[in-house]
Amino acid sequence: MSPISTKRHGDVLIVTSNNPPVNALGHAVREGLVQAIAEADADDKVKAVVIRCAGQTFFAGADIKEFGKPMQMPMLPQVVDIIENCTKPVVAAIHGTAFGGGLEVALASHYRVAVPSAKLGVPEVKLGILPGAGGTQRLPRVAGVAKALDMAATGNPIGAKEAHEIGLVDRLAEGDLEQHAVAFAEEVRDIRPIPKSSTRDDKVEEARANPAIFDEYRKANARKMKGFDAPEAVIKAIEAAVAKPYQEGVQEERRLFMELMSGTQARAQQYFFFAERQASKIDGLPEDTEPRAIARVGVIGAGTMGGGISMNFLSAGIPVTIVEMAQEALDRGTGVMRKNYEATAAKGRMTGEQVEGAMALLKPSLKLEDLAECDLIIEAVFENMDVKKDIFGKLDKIAKPGAILASNTSYLNVDEIAATTSRPEDVVGLHFFSPANIMKLLEVVRGAKTAPDVLVTAMQLAKKIRKVAVVAGVCHGFIGNRMLMPRQIEATKLLLEGATPEQVDRVHVEFGMPMGPFQMADLAGVDIGWHRDPSRIESIRDQLCAMERWGQKKGAGFYDYDDKRRPSPSPVVQQIIEDFSRKEGIARREISDQEIIERTLYIMVNEGAKILDENMAQRASDIDVVWVYGYGWPVYRGGPMFWADTVGLKEIVDGLERQEDRLGSDFTLSPLLVRKAEAGEKFTR
Ligand code: T1G
């Protein structure tokens, strides 16, 4: 049964796609569209065509599940040209997300009608490719070059209202979309010549006269595009749309598309698209597990984390009761939240009334007892087990039956915390990453006794507050921080042996990380976790902390900073490092970049393999989701485990064996990693 059906409404042929969940343009859909256009062409009684979709959205793009498989004709580039060459006017009726190939079908249609809530976009760059069905050639001709560049090089969609303002949508349909689209088709049925996007030049003329626009775009977006292949290819394809007629430009698009599609970056980013969606699934839970209703959230602690966590729920329209121990801390915390919202509003990403609306949902309190009305309570206080145990003991008496009790701990044992309550089945870890209102990652830490519906509630709530949740087991540092630890330890040892902070950081930044271990320490605070005793100096970090070189916030850490927080290598720090080398009797030596990669990145893969072996993560791709969303691992490398597969697990093992003496006696190779390397297996598909 074809997912494409047709029906008549007067002299309009209505073509409907019914291919849940997102009307992906799979082979059967493409075949059906070609047949429908042939039907329209062959029947004189058909004066116009409407293409629409049933379900949640207009075509959301090519079927990504078909990528890497043998091509099945007709391919999308042929389909869109057939639509554009239809002898009757074709109207695309858009709702939901007209993304990728979906927008390309709409662009090849002669007119576009959309509901105001619809979104239009070409997110192909997020998959490491570019719009490959004429999108890079038609979009600039319909929406203008500047808008086309921005949409196609970032992958960010625009709303239907904006699309209507720039002429990408011809009419907004308030109410019944099909009715409006048919009425519009009736209006345009006799207009000749039928308008074809591919032959329009009015909107590319300006760029033709000013090709500098492309280099200006490259310069303005260099940082965001750094390391990625696809955005530059998009710019080249749109340059071709401006410089060449459609038929030649679309050849250039095809060449660039095939080049990208055959590259590792595309494979990594397409892998990651599914990895991110897989992470929300919890294997082995009873199918009928229902989430608990969360009408009000309680947060204990109005510091950086407590405030940031609260903002996630307030922004999603969920009321929050926030509790501090002292009025001054409570006022400071709520003040920071308001300031953050106002900063977002100043950037035009929120309106004034949205700020007021969010803050109106916040109920500050000095009494834990006020949390009795909450369905979920998140503790976000000092990272100390005694403090957390004390709080959970009190919560056990205050919280209503069925309330979920969560700790935001980054490392500590959630089972130990749960044991201080009479309801361990209601206890879970919700590890947010700082800044909690910005970072998308949420580690959901599953205690030994955490109930299935608590987990399902956490995963569903994560989606509601626009987080990407990953289930982690109870171990020191869960998934992300557990892999971060060996990396930080080795990075510090490398300093003692001859590397400099800037060399280690450079290797990581060249690899694609947003910053290296020492830049990250300076940003987060060198003093995090410091014992606070300036007389106790047992490490380089102790020495820096004792000198109040706590990082950017103090104008000095591993680096010196100017008043604009620009870093420069510090001779003082270099001297401290060399003094420590001498004190530890370590002869400094030249250290290669490769050694840094093996000792700081290969070692992370080894820890990831142990996490998998101990069932502290459900799947290797979950580990990749943690590192991309929690630490900025470059998505064009897929994540640590996908990357290890591209390096080859045998090489990872060989590299770690090469470093075995330097990794020290407590280093052990993961048996799972060794087994997979020997068997020639991979961690990810
Ligand atoms: N192909 C195949 N499956 C897809 C899909 C797609 N394009 N989009 C979504 N799915 C699956 C997804 O894996 C999940 O499956 C289910 O649908 C619901 O997705 C030639 C080559 C449309 C905004 O990049 O952005 O066109 O987990 O959880 O939150 O130029 O899906 O249920 O088994 O994300 O409501 C370009 C990608 C393709 C759009 C809906 N298009 N999709 O979000 O649901 S390349 C895209 C999305 C292309 C042409 C090129 C989102 C969504 P499961 P979901 P959602």
Side-chain angles (χ1 to χ4, degrees):
M1 162 83 161
S2 167
I4 297 291
S5 59
T6 60
K7 70 180 180 186
R8 299 294 165 92
H9 182 100
D11 49 21
V12 175
L13 179 70
I14 300 173
V15 181
T16 299
S17 168
N18 188 3
N19 187 32
V22 297
N23 280 299
L25 287 151
H27 177 241
V29 172
R30 300 195 301 272
E31 263 188 339
L33 286 173
V34 169
Q35 282 153 15
I37 298 297
E39 181 185 337
D41 278 336
D43 187 337
D44 288 343
K45 287 198 292 300
V46 170
K47 301 299 181 194
V49 179
V50 165
I51 296 179
R52 59 181 290 277
C53 287
Q56 89 175 43
T57 176
F58 190 73
F59 306 108
D63 185 340
I64 307 171
K65 295 186 176 81
E66 283 184 356
F67 290 178
K69 293 181 184 148
M71 294 201 276
Q72 291 176 289
M73 297 307 173
M75 294 306 289
L76 207 50
Q78 285 72 39
V79 175
V80 297
D81 284 347
I82 287 167
I83 291 170
E84 188 172 65
N85 294 322
C86 180
T87 55
K88 321 294 172 63
V90 178
V91 178
I94 298 170
H95 74 293
T97 48
F99 279 4
L103 183 53
E104 290 173 301
V105 164
L107 282 163
S109 302
H110 307 112
Y111 301 95
R112 287 153 293 281
V113 175
V115 295
S117 60
K119 287 188 183 154
L120 297 86
V122 274
E124 286 87 337
V125 283
K126 294 181 179 176
L127 298 170
I129 48 180
L130 54 68
T136 64
Q137 309 300 304
R138 290 190 173 93
L139 188 59
R141 287 180 163 90
V142 178
V145 174
K147 182 52 73 180
L149 267 178
D150 198 40
M151 287 175 70
T154 65
N156 296 335
I158 62 173
K161 287 182 185 140
E162 181 185 358
H164 183 239
E165 283 154 16
I166 63 174
L168 178 53
V169 160
D170 299 288
R171 179 161 301 168
L172 289 175
E174 301 276 359
D176 186 306
L177 174 59
E178 181 178 327
Q179 221 170 30
H180 278 276
V182 170
F184 187 89
E186 290 292 6
E187 282 177 41
V188 301
R189 45 170 276 185
D190 300 324
I191 294 176
R192 293 298 181 276
I194 296 174
K196 294 182 179 180
S197 315
S198 59
T199 59
R200 283 183 61 173
D201 271 352
D202 53 310
K203 291 206 172 178
V204 295
E205 228 107 67
E206 186 190 337
R208 200 167 277 161
N210 166 35
I213 185 177
F214 294 106
D215 281 346
E216 282 155 17
Y217 187 84
R218 287 184 173 97
K219 231 189 319 288
N221 294 281
R223 206 172 50 77
K224 267 191 300 188
M225 301 189 326
K226 181 173 169 291
F228 288 90
D229 295 337
E232 173 54 31
V234 161
I235 298 170
K236 283 197 173 72
I238 294 176
E239 281 179 312
V242 170
K244 301 174 178 190
Y246 173 79
Q247 283 314 333
E248 289 173 41
V250 81
Q251 297 308 322
E252 177 65 354
E253 173 192 276
R254 173 72 22 214
R255 184 186 69 77
L256 291 163
F257 178 85
M258 296 311 281
E259 198 173 84
L260 289 172
M261 190 58 116
S262 60
T264 309
Q265 290 199 1
R267 217 158 49 77
Q269 291 177 245
Q270 288 154 30
Y271 152 80
F272 193 78
F273 174 87
F274 293 111
E276 179 181 347
R277 285 155 179 80
Q278 188 68 12
S280 62
K281 296 176 173 86
I282 305 177
D283 300 336
L285 289 192
E287 275 300 308
D288 58 351
T289 307
E290 284 299 317
R292 296 184 190 177
I294 304 293
R296 173 173 280 277
V297 171
V299 175
I300 305 173
T304 313
M305 289 309 286
I309 290 169
S310 302
M311 289 178 71
N312 292 312
F313 294 98
L314 297 173
S315 303
I318 300 172
V320 172
T321 301
I322 188 165
V323 175
E324 255 295 351
M325 312 317 271
Q327 190 63 48
E328 191 267 337
L330 186 60
D331 294 344
R332 190 173 55 244
T334 53
V336 168
M337 292 164 72
R338 173 173 287 281
K339 207 161 57 61
N340 286 341
Y341 274 131
E342 284 166 355
T344 304
K347 291 179 200 143
R349 292 210 294 265
M350 263 181 110
T351 61
E353 63 263 27
Q354 283 172 323
V355 171
E356 293 316 319
M359 292 304 289
L361 292 173
L362 179 67
K363 181 179 163 188
S365 163
L366 295 174
K367 291 188 302 183
L368 280 179
E369 289 69 22
D370 284 350
L371 298 173
E373 57 193 5
C374 296
D375 309 293
L376 161 67
I377 301 167
I378 304 172
E379 162 274 312
V381 299
F382 189 56
E383 193 71 345
N384 171 290
M385 184 54 96
D386 294 339
V387 170
K388 293 185 187 302
K389 283 183 173 177
D390 173 54
I391 284 180
F392 274 76
K394 288 176 181 152
L395 284 181
D396 195 25
K397 298 180 182 58
I398 295 167
K400 65 183 181 185
I404 296 175
L405 309 181
S407 170
N408 172 54
T409 180
S410 319
Y411 285 85
L412 300 176
N413 187 313
V414 171
D415 290 331
E416 228 180 288
I417 294 172
T420 59
T421 72
S422 62
R423 48 174 119 179
E425 66 284 354
D426 293 341
V427 178
V428 70
L430 292 180
H431 176 213
F432 289 84
F433 282 67
S434 183
N437 52 312
I438 306 283
M439 294 298 281
K440 281 183 74 92
L441 179 66
L442 174 64
E443 281 181 326
V444 175
V445 186
R446 174 182 199 169
K449 296 186 176 144
T450 302
D453 65 338
V454 169
L455 290 170
V456 166
T457 308
M459 302 308 274
Q460 194 184 71
L461 204 54
K463 198 155 186 168
K464 192 165 169 59
I465 61 174
R466 301 161 62 83
K467 297 293 179 190
V468 176
V470 176
V471 175
V474 176
C475 61
H476 193 70
F478 316 132
I479 297 174
N481 286 343
R482 174 166 164 181
M483 291 167 71
L484 185 67
M485 278 183 289
R487 185 190 88 167
Q488 300 299 88
I489 290 167
E490 285 307 308
T492 304
K493 283 164 60 182
L494 282 158
L495 295 189
L496 292 172
E497 295 172 31
T500 60
E502 44 276 15
Q503 180 190 7
V504 176
D505 286 344
R506 171 181 55 75
V507 169
H508 280 237
V509 171
E510 284 174 357
F511 177 81
M513 298 299 286
M515 59 183 79
F518 302 107
Q519 292 161 318
M520 189 168 136
D522 276 0
L523 178 69
V526 183
D527 60 318
I528 286 188
W530 178 46
H531 47 65
R532 304 256 163 237
D533 174 358
S535 63
R536 199 175 118 205
I537 295 181
E538 293 155 356
S539 68
I540 295 169
R541 211 185 60 151
D542 282 352
Q543 179 63 71
L544 297 182
C545 288
M547 298 163 71
E548 292 214 2
R549 292 184 69 101
W550 295 354
Q552 286 192 25
K553 60 190 174 189
K554 289 277 190 180
F558 282 95
Y559 295 87
D560 293 333
Y561 293 89
D562 66 16
D563 53 3
K564 289 195 173 58
R565 291 203 170 195
R566 284 181 299 225
S568 56
S570 165
V572 168
V573 170
Q574 194 51 35
Q575 190 56 56
I576 290 169
I577 293 169
E578 288 169 12
D579 291 348
F580 259 96
S581 301
R582 218 181 349 274
K583 216 186 298 176
E584 311 254 325
I586 297 172
R588 296 180 68 78
R589 60 186 169 85
E590 191 68 26
I591 289 180
S592 70
D593 288 0
Q594 180 56 25
E595 178 177 341
I596 293 172
I597 292 266
E598 291 169 4
R599 290 178 59 181
T600 59
L601 295 180
Y602 284 23
I603 199 165
M604 279 173 48
V605 173
N606 189 60
E607 200 60 36
K610 290 181 179 176
I611 287 169
L612 276 176
D613 222 359
E614 298 163 23
N615 292 317
M616 292 296 130
Q618 295 188 90
R619 47 189 90 88
S621 58
D622 281 8
I623 294 173
D624 289 342
V625 172
V626 164
W627 269 84
V628 167
Y629 276 120
Y631 304 83
W633 182 282
V635 69
Y636 57 78
R637 291 184 188 272
M641 309 313 272
F642 182 92
W643 170 69
D645 287 337
T646 61
V647 170
L649 299 190
K650 187 172 175 335
E651 162 51 25
I652 299 288
V653 170
D654 292 350
L656 290 168
E657 283 174 342
R658 285 195 291 270
Q659 302 301 336
E660 204 133 34
D661 298 346
R662 296 178 181 134
L663 291 170
S665 54
D666 52 1
F667 170 76
T668 56
L669 265 172
S670 149
L672 175 65
L673 172 60
V674 174
R675 269 202 314 278
K676 280 186 168 292
E678 282 164 358
E681 288 172 5
K682 294 184 169 195
F683 282 117
T684 61
R685 297 183 280 192

